[in-house]
Amino acid sequence: CGCPKCAALIEREGTPGAPLLDYLVEAGPLLKAKYPKAFLSTLAYRREQTEIPPRTLRMPDNVIIIFAPIDDNFAQPIEHPTNRQTLENLRGWAGKTDHLWVWYYPYPYSHPLPIGNVGKTASDFRLFKRVGVEGFFLEHDAPGTYDGQRLGDLQAWVALKLMWNPDQDPGRLVRDFTDATYGPAAPMVREHLAALEKAKDAMTTSMVWNASPGQYRFLTPDLLASAQALLDRAEKAVDGDPERLLRVR
């Protein structure tokens, strides 16, 4: 809405989402009076919409804010310098609602190119605990995010474990999963993941949520050649085990 009153709210609160948030401040008590056990929820989503928290408004105790950091650098944790604004907004929301959730994106979308983001996920879930996040939604179900090339099943396993206890050692979780899933090929799969993580973490450019192939700058010819050799070894390690061979492939 571009009416003068909404424009004034946006100016006062410093966020484009101010009209919606002002509505929720009024709607929450009205809902509670009639349905005391019910909750309202809305997304803190996109900086030009509702991600930026309001300056003065505080949400009623029956309103859930679900923080969805889709505008950050998908190659790095939220506490990385490139995600400074996302971190500020997350912390800001922690002071504006009693019920802060996160809508989490483990990987960028679009092209199912290899990427290691397990370390990023572990770092982010430790941050969420410190901030006071109490609920999660994991968007990890679409082509290009959840697939074998990205070890999507491993990422889901780690994320679910970290929801219960974010202080767990992600390296141990990776070992537990890969040993059970890949058997004798597990060391090679872990080496492959570690190489992806190291190369991605060293990248100085950012990745948006729907990153183009050109944003995967860490996938150099040398890295891809070494990955191919590693996975060839992994195949040989489970050559007599059809189920694990399929997983490696």
Side-chain angles (χ1 to χ4, degrees):
C1 179
C3 78
K5 287 186 177 181
C6 284
L9 270 174
I10 292 169
E11 178 67 22
R12 187 190 79 192
E13 297 298 330
T15 174
L20 171 64
L21 302 173
D22 183 67
Y23 163 76
L24 291 172
V25 168
E26 183 174 352
L30 296 175
L31 176 72
K32 192 171 186 177
K34 191 169 184 179
Y35 302 102
K37 295 184 180 181
F39 284 83
L40 291 166
S41 71
T42 193
L43 288 170
Y45 179 76
R46 295 201 178 279
R47 290 165 192 162
E48 71 273 17
Q49 296 179 26
T50 54
E51 183 186 307
I52 300 172
R55 292 189 182 119
T56 68
L57 296 174
R58 181 176 175 81
M59 297 300 101
D61 62 5
N62 62 342
V63 171
I64 299 167
I65 296 295
I66 308 175
F67 189 84
I70 199 167
D71 286 333
D72 66 352
N73 174 11
F74 272 56
Q76 300 292 349
I78 293 175
E79 291 186 283
H80 190 269
T82 57
N83 287 322
R84 178 186 56 81
Q85 188 174 355
T86 301
L87 179 60
E88 289 178 0
N89 292 337
L90 175 66
R91 286 175 170 164
W93 270 115
K96 298 296 182 180
T97 179
D98 293 329
H99 303 290
L100 180 60
W101 293 17
V102 167
W103 186 300
Y104 194 68
Y105 310 92
Y107 294 130
Y109 274 72
S110 299
H111 306 277
L113 296 171
I115 184 171
N117 257 6
V118 173
K120 163 184 157 61
T121 298
S123 174
D124 286 346
F125 274 82
R126 289 192 295 269
L127 167 68
F128 298 150
K129 179 183 178 181
R130 294 198 305 272
V131 170
V133 173
E134 64 176 21
F136 299 99
F137 180 89
L138 195 68
E139 185 165 332
H140 198 36
D141 59 345
T145 55
Y146 184 90
D147 52 44
Q149 295 176 73
R150 295 176 168 210
L151 297 169
D153 44 4
L154 167 62
Q155 177 69 270
W157 157 266
V158 170
L160 290 168
K161 289 292 185 180
L162 294 173
M163 286 181 193
W164 295 329
N165 177 11
D167 296 322
Q168 294 182 84
D169 175 14
R172 182 184 61 79
L173 294 176
V174 169
R175 285 194 301 274
D176 286 350
F177 182 90
T178 52
D179 283 346
T181 304
Y182 302 105
M188 284 74 87
V189 174
R190 287 195 293 270
E191 189 176 344
H192 170 57
L193 175 62
L196 287 173
E197 293 266 10
K198 182 179 179 180
K200 187 267 302 177
D201 289 346
M203 189 172 65
T204 58
T205 53
S206 294
M207 298 181 75
V208 297
W209 72 273
N210 58 344
S212 66
Q215 292 185 44
Y216 289 77
R217 297 188 178 188
F218 61 92
L219 294 179
T220 63
D222 286 345
L223 178 63
L224 294 175
S226 64
Q228 184 68 56
L230 268 175
L231 297 178
D232 285 346
R233 285 171 47 205
E235 278 192 330
K236 290 179 181 178
V238 292
D239 190 45
D241 185 336
E243 184 173 350
R244 283 177 168 152
L245 180 61
L246 179 63
R247 293 171 185 172
V248 170
R249 284 176 173 170

